[in-house]
Amino acid sequence: MKLVEAIIKPFKLDEVKDALNEIGIEGITVSEVKGFGRQKGHTELYRGAEYVVDFIPKIKLEIAIADDLVAKVVEVIETSARTGRIGDGKIFVLSLDEAMRIRTGEKGNDAV
């Protein structure tokens, strides 16, 4: 099993979620996060005062899947989250040692 983590722009969430549903992904965890990469934040003007926003709002998706679905999930996230501009995000694929459904006690791929 693998855990796919994706950091995307907030306005792309619905598009990514719909694309994942189309390929049969039934469960995702979504978190509102803040951070920065190469873009290093930006400057905003508020009531005549300029201030620096160091951390940019992003969305973090977490998807636990079977190994054979990894390539398709990564491809779908990549194509649906891309705007072509700086700050589109990142995708990470991590090994997942164990998963367990609390309600039934199912383990492994059956749990996800």
Side-chain angles (χ1 to χ4, degrees):
M1 290 181 301
K2 300 290 186 196
L3 180 65
V4 177
E5 292 184 352
I7 309 297
I8 63 171
K9 291 183 175 187
F11 67 89
K12 285 295 204 172
L13 176 59
D14 286 335
E15 191 175 334
V16 172
K17 180 184 62 106
D18 292 343
L20 288 169
N21 281 336
E22 286 179 18
I23 64 165
I25 300 302
E26 297 174 345
I28 61 174
T29 301
V30 177
S31 305
E32 293 181 8
V33 296
K34 293 182 180 189
F36 68 88
R38 291 184 184 158
Q39 66 197 99
K40 302 283 191 257
H42 63 277
T43 304
E44 289 187 1
L45 192 63
Y46 180 72
R47 294 191 177 181
E50 196 173 274
Y51 65 98
V52 175
V53 177
D54 291 331
F55 296 102
I56 309 299
K58 299 287 185 177
I59 295 292
K60 179 180 180 181
L61 304 175
E62 295 172 296
I63 308 159
I65 53 173
D67 291 336
D68 59 331
L69 294 173
V70 172
K72 186 66 177 167
V73 167
V74 168
E75 178 188 344
V76 164
I77 294 171
E78 178 190 5
T79 56
S80 58
R82 178 183 290 136
T83 67
R85 292 175 294 194
I86 193 166
D88 273 352
K90 297 269 193 299
I91 300 172
F92 305 101
V93 179
L94 309 158
S95 292
L96 186 59
D97 293 333
E98 186 63 70
M100 179 180 193
R101 186 184 313 268
I102 295 172
R103 180 178 53 87
T104 62
E106 293 171 298
K107 292 186 176 183
N109 284 335
D110 293 334
V112 296

